[in-house]
């Protein structure tokens, strides 16, 4: 399978402390790649560097063949980013948020409206898109944020802990959306500290701890390092690798 993203020796320090400590990994075209790790592992810092929001101290990333350092605009055309913190206008309807962000990416008004309708359907909000976002549940707001990231038809979608603190219905809807996108050919990077989620959703997983990727593989490959994959959890893999529990 082709490589879509290649990160080489990527590093970032804050106040002398390594948040991301020289990580190298690849994401293959059309896979769901999970970064699984506890809070503070460096997942968000990694996503921010991969998505050109934060300049790395060292290393580089190629996305669709383009460097995040030297070809930022080429990279930005190809990616969609759904950040860990919500970024939307609560006073506007979901539809108007989407049209606004679509216009920001250069779509005409007409194209933005058509795309807004399509992405609302993709996240399962087609019936509620006219309502102001402040009346939405946390899970619905999260789905609008994912929809915003889809406005420019990204080849690679970054989802940073999209299911934290939301209702089970929205969570299932987000899983459906992510799997549907993958089936349509979108490559996805999904971060989470929920091991069951990574296990269920991801084609391959990088386990992250203290700024490093300490293991990479399919869920079954990772579990095989510990025992019979059918009877092992990723929690046990993390425990074996670090001596600690990956708790919520
Ligand atoms: N802007 C920042 N300034 C200082 N420290 C930061 C900043 N962003 C992240 N960190 C630190 O870097 C480490 C990794 O954080 P983060 O990437 O947010 O991890 P995760 O997303 O896995 O929870 C943490 O110790 C965090 O406190
Ligand atoms: Mg984070």
């Amino acid at each position: 399978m082709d490589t879509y993203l290649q990160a080489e020796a990527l590093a970032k320090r804050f106040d002398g402390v390594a948040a991301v400590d020289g990580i190298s990994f690849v994401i293959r075209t059309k896979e769901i790649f999970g970064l699984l790790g506890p809070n503070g592992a460096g997942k968000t810092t990694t996503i921010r560097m991969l998505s050109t929001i934060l300049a790395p101290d060292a290393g580089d990333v190629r996305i669709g063949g383009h460097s995040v350092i030297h070809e930022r605009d080429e990279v930005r055309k190809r990616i969609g980013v759904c950040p860990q913190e919500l970024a939307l206008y609560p006073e506007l309807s979901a539809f108007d948020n989407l049209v606004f962000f679509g216009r920001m990416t250069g779509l005409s008004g007409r194209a933005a409206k058509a795309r807004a309708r399509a992405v609302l359907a993709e996240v399962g909000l087609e019936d509620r898109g006219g309502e102001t976002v402040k009346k939405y549940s946390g899970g619905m707001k999260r789905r609008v944020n994912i929809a915003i990231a889809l406005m420019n038809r990204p080849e690679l979608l970054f989802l940073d802990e999209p299911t934290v603190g939301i209702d089970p219905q929205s969570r299932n809807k987000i899983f459906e959306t992510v799997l549907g996108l993958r089936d349509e050919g979108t490559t996805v990077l999904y971060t989470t500290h929920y091991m069951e989620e990574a296990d269920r959703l991801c084609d391959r997983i990088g386990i992250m701890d203290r700024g490093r990727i300490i293991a990479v593989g399919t869920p079954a490959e990772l579990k095989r390092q510990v025992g019979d994959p059918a009877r092992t959890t990723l929690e046990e893999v993390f425990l074996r690798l670090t001596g600690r529990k990956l708790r919520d």
Side-chain angles (χ1 to χ4, degrees):
M1 219 191 254
D2 293 345
T3 295
Y4 190 75
L5 177 151
Q6 179 158 25
E8 281 288 335
L10 200 60
K12 187 75 195 181
R13 303 178 85 82
F14 293 113
D15 310 318
V17 178
V20 174
D21 199 5
I23 61 173
S24 302
F25 65 101
V26 302
I27 301 180
R28 295 172 183 160
T29 306
K30 301 179 187 181
E31 77 174 345
I32 302 173
F33 184 86
L35 271 183
L36 172 67
N39 287 326
K43 303 182 297 296
T44 296
T45 304
T46 300
I47 282 206
R48 292 175 70 212
M49 290 191 284
L50 300 181
S51 60
T52 78
I53 294 163
L54 182 70
D57 293 341
D60 197 357
V61 183
R62 299 190 81 80
I63 291 180
H66 299 281
S67 159
V68 299
I69 295 169
H70 305 292
E71 300 167 279
R72 209 163 68 170
D73 291 345
E74 288 299 322
V75 169
R76 286 186 177 173
K77 275 188 231 164
R78 291 168 169 80
I79 63 173
V81 185
C82 181
Q84 190 167 357
E85 304 302 329
L86 291 172
L88 33 75
Y89 293 101
E91 308 293 332
L92 297 182
S93 69
F95 183 78
D96 288 344
N97 266 282
L98 291 166
V99 171
F100 173 81
F101 285 103
R103 298 296 309 257
M104 298 264 289
T105 69
L107 295 178
S108 70
R110 192 186 177 124
K113 284 178 186 168
R115 185 67 189 146
R117 278 188 283 273
V119 296
L120 277 172
E122 244 169 316
V123 299
L125 288 175
E126 58 272 44
D127 300 333
R128 308 283 302 270
E131 294 171 39
T132 161
V133 162
K134 68 180 173 207
K135 294 189 182 153
Y136 280 9
S137 70
M140 289 167 70
K141 287 179 186 158
R142 180 61 65 188
R143 283 146 68 191
V144 176
N145 233 35
I146 295 173
I148 288 169
L150 293 173
M151 281 299 284
N152 66 336
R153 300 176 190 274
E155 292 174 2
L156 171 61
L157 175 65
F158 293 104
L159 294 171
D160 195 1
E161 305 231 29
T163 59
V164 171
I166 67 173
D167 56 283
Q169 193 195 341
S170 277
R171 186 175 151 131
N172 286 331
K173 203 75 217 177
I174 288 172
F175 288 171
E176 278 175 33
T177 302
V178 172
L179 292 168
L181 286 165
R182 193 262 317 265
D183 292 345
E184 289 164 19
T186 307
T187 306
V188 179
L189 172 59
Y190 189 103
T191 79
T192 183
H193 62 274
Y194 299 127
M195 58 190 169
E196 317 84 0
E197 239 173 56
D199 199 350
R200 172 171 161 193
L201 204 58
C202 297
D203 299 306
R204 292 191 313 129
I205 294 168
I207 298 182
M208 200 165 182
D209 187 44
R210 296 178 173 166
R212 298 192 167 181
I213 292 183
I214 55 175
V216 182
T218 65
E221 284 165 357
L222 292 169
K223 292 177 197 170
R224 215 169 284 133
Q225 299 183 4
V226 175
D228 175 3
R231 299 174 51 200
T232 306
T233 65
L234 292 175
E235 175 77 60
E236 290 170 293
V237 178
F238 189 83
L239 182 64
R240 171 70 62 90
L241 291 168
T242 66
R244 288 177 289 116
K245 284 196 166 171
L246 196 169
R247 56 171 76 84
D248 290 352

